[in-house]
Amino acid sequence: MGTDDDGNMYFKPDHLEFETGKAYALVITNVDDYKHELAMHEVSEKFFTRKIEIESPDGELVAEIKGKIEEVEVGPHQTVEWFFVPIQIGADLDMSCEIEGHKEAGMFGTVTRY
Ligand SMILES: [Cu+2]
């Protein structure tokens, strides 16, 4: 996630595909000087979050967060890993950044699970 030279905000890739029943680790990196978030409200009902893992810059574990998660906010130049297993299929579900103005600037995409 980030902002390009023209001021357009983006998720890269802006479409994610997952297979139900498989375990994934989604690495979310914010390359900007300000925070962004990944909100996947529809999706979160349909997958099982194992944990969110946050490490310090030197690789030490800062926190593991467990339970149902719908949004992950990532601070400037930080990386968060979201571990989950999709448990229901669904096509083209929304993901977006809900910080004011960011979705309008292009920060949205879709998620498909098959
Ligand atoms: Cu954003």
Side-chain angles (χ1 to χ4, degrees), residues 9 35-37 97 99 102 107:
M9 294 181 176
K35 69 182 181 180
H36 284 297
E37 69 179 37
C97 176
I99 294 171
H102 288 202
M107 245 185 137

Side-chain angles (χ1 to χ4, degrees), residues 1-3 9-11 30 32 34-38 96-103 107:
M1 51 175 59
T3 308
M9 294 181 176
Y10 61 84
F11 287 120
N30 179 3
D32 281 336
Y34 35 85
K35 69 182 181 180
H36 284 297
E37 69 179 37
L38 173 59
S96 67
C97 176
E98 294 181 333
I99 294 171
E100 199 178 344
H102 288 202
K103 188 176 181 183
M107 245 185 137

Side-chain angles (χ1 to χ4, degrees), residues 72-84:
V72 177
E73 229 169 65
V74 185
H77 304 287
Q78 300 297 325
T79 292
V80 170
E81 277 187 90
W82 190 343
F83 295 78
F84 58 85

Side-chain angles (χ1 to χ4, degrees), residues 12-59:
K12 191 174 72 179
D14 64 1
H15 179 73
L16 303 174
E17 285 200 13
F18 303 110
E19 195 174 326
T20 51
K22 280 195 176 175
Y24 290 92
L26 183 63
V27 179
I28 310 162
T29 299
N30 179 3
V31 301
D32 281 336
D33 295 331
Y34 35 85
K35 69 182 181 180
H36 284 297
E37 69 179 37
L38 173 59
M40 302 200 292
H41 299 290
E42 288 177 295
V43 177
S44 74
E45 291 172 9
K46 293 168 179 166
F47 65 43
F48 170 70
T49 293
R50 295 167 58 215
K51 62 179 177 178
I52 300 258
E53 201 168 279
I54 302 162
E55 290 185 351
S56 67
D58 55 6

